Every structure is written in structure tokens, then in C-alpha cells.
Amino acid sequence: MLLDLKYLLSHLPPNVDKRDAFLLIQYTLKINYEKLFFIKEIEITVQEFDKLMECIQLRSEHMPIAKIIGHKSFYNNEFKTTTDTLDPRPETELIIDLFLKYFPNRAVPLSILDLGCGTGCIGLSILDFYKNSTLCLADISDKALSVAKYNAKNLNLENRCSFTKTSWFNDVKGKFNAIVCNPPYVEDNYDLDRDTLYDPPIALFGGKDGLDAYKKILPYTKQFLCDKGFLFLEIGLGQSEAVCRIAEDLDTIEIAKDLQGINRIIVFSINSI
Ligand code: GLN
């Protein structure tokens, strides 16, 4: 059958914009995104049409594009994501920038821990820069760990990765030069937008005040950091003071703002610098 692109784009349901439609067409019909700007009609099969309509329907029900197509770009790479993992978010990319700043020598062999790794996007993005380093990816969810394993393999990084099923530090062994962590920090009763509700609640909600995970992580961090080690920790809106208070035996080195000007990442160390 012949798909009239102009007709399709002018009859999209609410919540589905043109860019979404292009991404879904690219995904279902395997057509290069740029090419779509020059095509008026496409010959497609009935199955392809049905698949495209199904995807457009899901998007109109607020499912994020990343959850429909099953991957999202983060820093330099593309990561598989599912309903068992938090979709990689642009503000989290700031951790990678800070890591590169605090460890300027990329040849140094670091041992890195991604605590609550989800897709593994933070740790794996870093490991991709530090060719002599190793990464432990830790998560409480078996399903998230298998997504992280897929991503490690897909990026050819799996031979420098290990995987640990654990609730925060409970079953983590050893000491690390750096720990990266984006824990759940949304307050339990916070009214999240509908797109976010496709992410797993365990990766989003951090108890009544959103601080539960920090209370489980920060008092034990010192034991797991090597001398001159750093913790790079993501926080939610307005949480920096409370989080620094919980981290009373760590030194706050930097509180970095995201592109919206919100305090987003705290760098902690066990030694003042
Ligand atoms: N930044 C995410 C959101 O508000 C939450 C991620 C998290 O809890 N770590 O959608």
C-alpha cells in the first residue's frame, strides 16, 4: 500500500508531534530520518502500516518514544531501555562531564561502581572514555541488570564489566576510585507527568521526602571509596542541603547545576581537596 506522508502528518492524534511521528516512521519502516523530509509517499506493507499505527497510538497514550522504540541516546552512545529501566535523561549526562573533569587522565586504571545502574548508561559512558578501567554495575533488579549487560555487550565493553545484584551497598565487595549513582529521589506523592510513569516506580520514588535512598547510600559510601576517590551523585530539585547533611562524613567538593539551573549533581570526596 502507499502511505501518504503529508496526510499522515496532518492527521496525527493529540500528544503526537511531527518529530515523534518521524521517529516512529524511521523505527517501523527503517527509513533514514533525514530522507523523510524529501519523501511524499512511501510504499509499505499492511503489517508495517499496522505497526506504525500501533506505535502512534502508544505515543498518544503518553508512552515516551524511547520506551516504544526501545532505546535512547545518552552522551556518545545509544542505550537499550525497557519498562524495567529508567530512560537515560539529558541532565544525568552532567555526571560524565564532571567525571572527565575530576579524572583528567583517561589512561589511568580506575575501578568504578555504578550503584543502581539501570540501563548502565552512566557507568558505561564513562568506561568508554577510560580504556584501562573496570566497572561494576550494581542493581537490585535482575531485569535491569540484564538490560545493562546487553548495553555493555553492545558497546563492546563487557570484558571490563562485572554485574552485581544488590540493594545499594549490601552485596557490593571492594573499594572503588569512583562511584556514580542516580538513585530514586522523587517524593512518593509527587504528581509526575504521564510520560514519566512508564519508568519503573522503584527507579523513581524515594519515599515520603524523596531522600530514602540517600539515607541508605551516604552513611556507607566512605567504606567503599579508595583514598582520593569521588562519589558523583544525582539529586532532585531542592534536595542539595538535605543530601549534604546526610553525607556528614564526606566532603562536598562541588554542587553542579543542570541546564535549567537546578542543583543536580553533587561531587563528594573522602578527603578535602
Ligand atoms: N529526573 C527524574 C524525573 O524527575 C527522576 C530520576 C530519579 O529519580 N533518579 O523524571
Side-chain angles (χ1 to χ4, degrees):
M1 62 182 283
L2 208 56
L3 177 70
D4 181 338
L5 262 186
K6 203 172 162 200
Y7 181 86
L8 179 83
L9 293 173
S10 55
H11 288 80
L12 292 170
N15 319 320
V16 183
D17 61 28
K18 225 169 149 177
R19 187 175 168 273
D20 291 341
F22 272 16
L23 288 167
L24 296 174
I25 293 167
Q26 170 179 260
Y27 167 64
T28 48
L29 310 181
K30 313 264 174 286
I31 296 175
N32 188 296
Y33 191 95
E34 287 77 31
K35 254 189 177 172
L36 285 172
F37 292 97
F38 306 102
I39 298 174
K40 286 198 176 70
E41 293 167 327
I42 321 167
E43 185 62 44
I44 61 172
T45 64
V46 175
Q47 285 91 327
E48 284 173 329
F49 180 76
D50 289 347
K51 174 96 186 146
L52 176 59
M53 290 304 121
E54 190 193 322
C55 290
I56 289 177
Q57 175 65 27
L58 289 171
R59 180 67 198 123
S60 78
E61 291 163 11
H62 294 268
M63 188 183 273
I65 295 288
K67 289 280 191 261
I68 302 173
I69 68 177
H71 56 92
K72 180 139 184 216
S73 68
F74 180 86
Y75 221 85
N76 287 340
N77 295 302
E78 203 63 36
F79 289 88
K80 174 175 172 164
T81 180
T82 70
T83 46
D84 297 303
T85 53
L86 186 84
D87 288 348
R89 301 215 185 340
E91 60 271 26
T92 307
E93 293 180 325
L94 186 52
I95 294 187
I96 320 301
D97 292 333
L98 289 163
F99 199 104
L100 292 167
K101 174 173 139 184
Y102 283 88
F103 292 99
N105 178 2
R106 296 184 192 172
V108 67
L110 301 172
S111 135
I112 305 161
L113 169 67
D114 186 340
L115 194 60
C117 64
T119 59
C121 66
I122 306 174
L124 292 169
S125 298
I126 292 167
L127 198 64
D128 204 17
F129 283 107
Y130 295 80
K131 303 291 183 202
N132 298 316
S133 294
T134 56
L135 171 69
C136 172
L137 294 132
D139 206 285
I140 196 171
S141 155
D142 282 315
K143 286 179 173 163
L145 281 173
S146 73
V147 173
K149 270 181 201 161
Y150 175 95
N151 284 324
K153 211 163 177 225
N154 195 38
L155 298 173
N156 283 321
L157 296 170
E158 83 271 27
N159 51 6
R160 290 187 285 129
C161 289
S162 60
F163 300 85
T164 301
K165 183 183 163 136
T166 174
S167 170
W168 304 122
F169 283 121
N170 283 359
D171 294 300
V172 172
K173 307 251 170 335
K175 280 188 184 260
F176 302 87
N177 301 107
I179 301 173
V180 293
C181 179
N182 173 18
Y185 53 66
V186 178
E187 292 164 23
D188 279 355
N189 59 2
Y190 189 83
D191 194 14
L192 281 171
D193 69 59
R194 288 177 64 189
D195 287 32
T196 307
L197 296 175
Y198 287 87
D199 281 321
I202 193 176
L204 287 170
F205 296 105
K208 212 165 162 245
D209 56 5
L211 300 172
D212 283 6
Y214 301 111
K215 291 173 194 157
K216 290 185 186 146
I217 297 165
L218 289 166
Y220 306 98
T221 299
K222 207 171 176 171
Q223 284 165 240
F224 291 89
L225 274 180
C226 303
D227 192 35
K228 298 193 168 54
F230 292 101
L231 164 68
F232 300 83
L233 184 67
E234 182 163 328
I235 57 164
L237 180 67
Q239 292 177 332
S240 57
E241 274 180 32
V243 171
C244 289
R245 224 174 297 128
I246 300 166
E248 57 183 3
D249 64 346
L250 300 173
D251 288 312
T252 306
I253 304 298
E254 178 172 355
I255 303 178
K257 291 187 191 311
D258 65 16
L259 291 174
Q260 294 185 66
I262 296 169
N263 285 339
R264 184 59 68 191
I265 311 295
I266 310 186
V267 184
F268 289 108
S269 148
I270 51 175
N271 315 89
S272 324
I273 54 169

